[in-house]
Amino acid sequence: MSKKKVLVVGGAGYIGSHTSLLLAERGYEPIVFDNLSNGHAEFVKWGPLEQGDIRDRKRLDEVFATHKPDAVLHFAALIEVGESVKNPVAFYDNNVIGALTLLSAAMDAGVQAFVFSSTCATYGLPERVPMDETHGQAPINPYGRTKFIIEQALKDYGTYKGLRSVMLRYFNAAGADFEGRIGEWHTPETHAIPLAIEAALGRRQGFKVFGSDYDTRDGTCVRDYIHVLDLADAHVRAVDYLLNGGETVELNLGTGTGTTVKELLNAISEVSGKPFPVEYVGRRDGDSTSLVANNDKAKAVLGWEPKYTLEDIIRSAWSWHSKANFHLQ
């Protein structure tokens, strides 16, 4: 029996590559489509790489015709919140026009199963914590709004065109493959765990904490960190769910446990055995006090359960970053 094929759009990036790894382990063939603007050809190890841009309809049609995928996973987005405020045009161009172009190509190719990499940023400022999927959606930056627009489109395409989709709202993705084959590699790096690890490794001048006067247990922001392999597991389960006839649904992906920035930095010092300088500065615009997922729905719909702890996240990230030499390039 031939393997079912999944087109992993943005599969050379951080979460896409870890998902390709698990797809291959579970008997699927991942076909990676990526323009390599933020992804890395070295991360495409479990299936073919097709280079191209999601705004290029002709190229998309060629890839769909060649591979005839059974499902599509869409990761190819610009994700840096601060950048979305500086350059909203690029975010609407890629995250909205690109995603809609991809959706049209997928539907014209007869694909009816679509997994969308969304975000808790569609919720905006939390009215209650933990947040479940019934929480109002009022994004406070262009990044969150571009993801929200595509969620609306997916619901309409489901109602009127029969496309079935799973919208996965991530909280804070972190960690790396435990065997060190792939990990987090962003240029520039903006995520807290890699930045703190780089500080502990002496590759950057300490770590900046934005805001120490929040209404939390130690004054710093609270976030829900989830291991990238737990995220990847949910994506593969979402493909299984849709290919078995599952209906359109939106699901939070988080652990349900919040960690403050101070707690995170202490844990990194402990795991690494290397203290590093920390500077407390003023709050950043648009940072929420606390973002923690209620993940009951993902557990019920996908039978998914996050397996890894904060210590697992930090250990796997430490192992990856201390061995990786991309910082020298």
Side-chain angles (χ1 to χ4, degrees):
M1 223 171 70
S2 65
K3 289 181 175 182
K4 284 204 154 71
K5 295 182 179 185
V6 180
L7 187 66
V8 187
V9 181
Y14 176 41
I15 301 168
S17 60
H18 286 82
T19 303
S20 296
L21 160 62
L22 286 197
L23 282 165
E25 280 183 0
R26 296 191 195 164
Y28 288 101
E29 184 185 353
I31 317 294
V32 170
F33 183 86
D34 203 298
N35 67 4
L36 302 181
S37 62
N38 293 308
H40 311 283
E42 304 96 305
F43 280 9
V44 183
K45 300 172 187 270
W46 295 279
L49 169 62
E50 293 281 7
Q51 251 182 280
D53 192 285
I54 53 174
R55 293 160 294 190
D56 182 347
R57 177 61 195 265
K58 185 167 172 288
R59 182 73 185 112
L60 284 168
D61 288 342
E62 285 168 7
V63 170
F64 277 103
T66 302
H67 295 285
K68 302 182 172 53
D70 298 278
V72 173
L73 284 162
H74 177 34
F75 297 99
L78 300 178
I79 60 167
E80 190 4 55
V81 170
E83 199 52 41
S84 79
V85 174
K86 284 189 221 148
N87 190 3
V89 176
F91 277 69
Y92 278 87
D93 187 35
N94 185 85
N95 294 5
V96 177
I97 294 170
L100 294 175
T101 305
L102 171 63
L103 276 164
S104 296
M107 290 191 299
D108 285 351
V111 174
Q112 288 186 309
F114 193 94
V115 180
F116 178 55
S117 169
S118 193
T119 169
C120 64
T122 64
Y123 293 124
L125 298 172
E127 295 152 19
R128 58 182 187 274
V129 177
M131 303 157 93
D132 67 12
E133 293 81 358
T134 65
H135 189 289
Q137 287 180 289
I140 58 171
N141 51 58
Y143 165 64
R145 279 190 280 276
T146 60
K147 292 286 193 175
F148 179 57
I149 288 165
I150 300 307
E151 285 199 8
Q152 299 301 106
L154 285 167
K155 288 175 186 175
D156 282 341
Y157 291 8
T159 302
Y160 305 111
K161 300 297 286 181
L163 179 75
R164 290 172 301 106
S165 64
V166 177
M167 293 158 260
L168 296 172
R169 295 177 187 155
Y170 307 171
F171 282 66
N172 286 57
D177 164 45
F178 290 96
E179 291 179 35
R181 293 165 288 185
I182 48 177
E184 194 162 5
W185 177 5
H186 297 117
T187 312
E189 186 53 75
T190 59
H191 291 170
I193 291 174
L195 290 176
I197 287 173
E198 285 179 11
L201 288 165
R203 292 176 188 166
R204 63 173 59 235
Q205 298 280 302
F207 184 91
K208 272 189 181 149
V209 176
F210 296 97
S212 55
D213 58 350
Y214 284 96
D215 183 16
T216 61
R217 53 187 172 265
D218 61 22
T220 61
C221 288
V222 173
R223 293 293 180 266
D224 185 339
Y225 295 96
I226 178 160
H227 199 287
V228 65
L229 288 173
D230 280 329
L231 279 183
D233 175 43
H235 286 78
V236 180
R237 287 169 184 266
V239 171
D240 295 341
Y241 164 81
L242 289 171
L243 293 180
N244 287 323
E247 293 301 318
T248 294
V249 67
E250 61 276 272
L251 303 170
N252 285 340
L253 296 183
T255 62
T257 302
T259 303
T260 70
V261 179
K262 267 187 191 166
E263 290 163 352
L264 180 72
L265 299 179
N266 290 340
I268 290 168
S269 287
E270 226 164 86
V271 167
S272 67
K274 293 180 190 286
F276 50 93
V278 174
E279 182 190 355
Y280 289 88
V281 296
R283 294 184 182 195
R284 263 188 318 208
D285 279 351
D287 272 348
S288 291
T289 302
S290 180
L291 294 172
V292 180
N294 174 321
N295 59 15
D296 293 346
K297 193 173 174 187
K299 289 177 178 177
V301 172
L302 301 179
W304 172 79
E305 185 87 47
K307 285 195 297 215
Y308 300 110
T309 64
L310 183 68
E311 189 179 325
D312 295 327
I313 287 172
I314 294 168
R315 281 193 189 286
S316 62
W318 177 260
S319 169
W320 162 255
H321 285 285
S322 48
K323 287 181 198 137
N325 61 8
F326 52 78
H327 63 283
L328 301 173
Q329 293 173 12

